[in-house]
């Protein structure tokens, strides 16, 4: 009886010891968000995302990437990361191992191995809000990032191709960074050449959401001829591997003389009406002749 009691005590002690040394899998886990070595601002809600410069130099460096470090993990823990509207890379660029704006992916799995920390980086090429879901120790936390547009890299010019004499036509210029994000506050110049007279105007692109990165200008067309509009701006230098800068655009508006066009159209209508009348008269004459011949033949047959 005593031996069974002793065995029971040993088992109880062993179980108690096991309970005492089992750590809490998530109690010590923590996550740090930093940009260029400093604590990131925001990131825990979509309305206040971490703002990052887009990698306009085609290199993912500390200044334009969010570092996410998850620490306090058990050895051998696997951390899973999934990004939407952003890109994940396991390391930043170095001279020996470049990391460009085409590097990375939308998901990453990190095994801590014998360590207790998982680190990775997130960058974005868009000014839309993106998210990063981090799953570690059974818990998933979502962080948010948003890019800020880079330097002006390209411009466009939108215009009608024709317009009536004396009418006011609206042209629109737009500016974009190297990744196609609308660029507000950019200076785009226009040169409007009208019958030998050129007028230059400096336009600043809008920051309002509805018209972000664009600006309009009204042009009064002359009585005749053409109007040439040239848009131009100082844009960023070319970067290997990224879109080629576009610093100018041209549009030509042909002036329409509606009075002359109407007169020509009326003359064409009159000619067609005259032709139709002549054809109708010829048709009626042929029909009358045929009827007369048929009547004469019928009469001759009746008499015979």
């Amino acid at each position: 009886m005593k031996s069974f009691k002793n065995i029971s005590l040993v088992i109880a002690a062993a179980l108690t010891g096991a309970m005492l040394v089992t750590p809490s899998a998530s109690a010590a886990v923590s996550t740090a968000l930093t940009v260029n070595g400093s604590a990131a601002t925001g990131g825990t809600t979509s309305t206040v995302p971490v703002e990052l410069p887009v990698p306009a130099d085609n290199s993912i460096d500390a200044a334009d990437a969010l570092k996410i470090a998850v620490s306090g993990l058990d050895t051998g823990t696997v951390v899973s990361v999934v990004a939407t509207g952003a890109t994940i890379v396991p390391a930043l660029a170095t001279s020996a191992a470049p990391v460009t704006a085409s590097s990375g992916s939308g998901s990453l799995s990190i095994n801590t191995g014998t360590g207790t920390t998982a680190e990775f980086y997130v960058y974005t090429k868009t000014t839309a809000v993106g998210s990063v879901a981090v799953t570690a120790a059974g818990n998933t936390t979502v962080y948010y990032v948003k890019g800020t547009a880079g330097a002006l890299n390209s411009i466009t010019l939108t215009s009608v191709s024709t317009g009536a004499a004396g009418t006011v036509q609206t042209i629109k210029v737009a500016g974009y960074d190297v990744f196609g994000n609308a660029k507000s506050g950019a200076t785009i110049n226009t040169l409007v050449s009208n019958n030998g007279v050129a007028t230059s105007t400096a336009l600043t692109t809008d920051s309002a959401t509805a018209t972000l990165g664009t600006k309009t200008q009204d042009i009064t067309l002359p009585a005749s001829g053409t109007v040439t509009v040239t848009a131009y701006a100082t844009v960023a230098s070319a970067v290997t591997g990224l879109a080629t800068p576009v610093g100018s655009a041209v549009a030509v508006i042909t002036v329409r003389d509606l009075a002359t066009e109407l007169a020509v159209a009326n003359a064409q209508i009159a000619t067609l009406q005259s032709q139709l009348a002549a054809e109708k008269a010829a048709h009626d004459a042929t029909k009358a002749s045929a009827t007369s011949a048929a009547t004469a033949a019928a009469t001759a047959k009746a008499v015979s």
Side-chain angles (χ1 to χ4, degrees), residues 258-270:
L258 296 184
T260 299
E261 290 180 12
L262 180 60
V264 171
N266 286 336
Q268 291 175 338
I269 292 172

Side-chain angles (χ1 to χ4, degrees), residues 50-275:
V50 175
E51 294 194 1
L52 302 168
V54 296
D57 60 352
N58 202 22
S59 181
I60 311 303
D61 306 308
D64 46 35
L66 172 66
K67 179 181 179 180
I68 300 181
V70 185
S71 59
L73 298 166
D74 289 336
T75 58
T77 297
V78 175
V79 177
S80 299
V81 191
V82 177
T84 302
T87 306
I88 310 163
V89 289
L92 297 175
T94 65
S95 57
V99 180
T100 69
S102 60
S103 301
S105 65
S107 62
L108 182 67
S109 182
I110 305 172
N111 191 323
T112 58
T114 59
T116 59
T117 300
E119 297 179 351
F120 57 93
Y121 300 84
V122 176
Y123 73 93
T124 180
K125 295 181 285 187
T126 174
T127 54
V129 175
S131 63
V132 185
V134 182
T135 301
N139 297 312
T140 298
T141 306
V142 180
Y143 302 101
Y144 300 90
V145 296
K146 178 181 183 294
T148 55
L152 182 66
N153 190 76
S154 64
I155 65 172
T156 61
L157 170 62
T158 304
S159 169
V160 296
S161 59
T162 64
T167 61
V168 176
Q169 301 296 330
T170 300
I171 64 169
K172 181 172 72 173
V173 296
Y176 305 92
D177 72 4
V178 72
F179 298 112
N181 298 302
K183 179 65 176 177
S184 64
T187 299
I188 301 177
N189 302 286
T190 60
L191 185 65
V192 180
S193 299
N194 182 342
N195 290 330
V197 179
T199 304
S200 180
T201 304
L203 304 175
T204 302
T205 55
D206 291 344
S207 58
T209 301
T211 55
L212 183 66
T214 69
K215 195 68 177 181
T216 60
Q217 178 182 349
D218 290 338
I219 298 174
T220 301
L221 300 184
S224 61
T226 60
V227 174
T228 301
V229 182
T230 303
Y232 60 97
T234 300
V235 295
S237 300
V239 175
T240 301
L242 298 184
T244 302
V246 177
S248 64
V250 178
V252 177
I253 305 174
T254 300
V255 179
R256 297 174 58 190
D257 184 347
L258 296 184
T260 299
E261 290 180 12
L262 180 60
V264 171
N266 286 336
Q268 291 175 338
I269 292 172
T271 298
L272 291 173
Q273 288 176 333
S274 178
Q275 292 174 348

Side-chain angles (χ1 to χ4, degrees), residues 35-59:
V35 178
N36 209 15
S38 299
T41 301
T44 56
T45 66
S46 59
T47 55
V48 188
V50 175
E51 294 194 1
L52 302 168
V54 296
D57 60 352
N58 202 22
S59 181

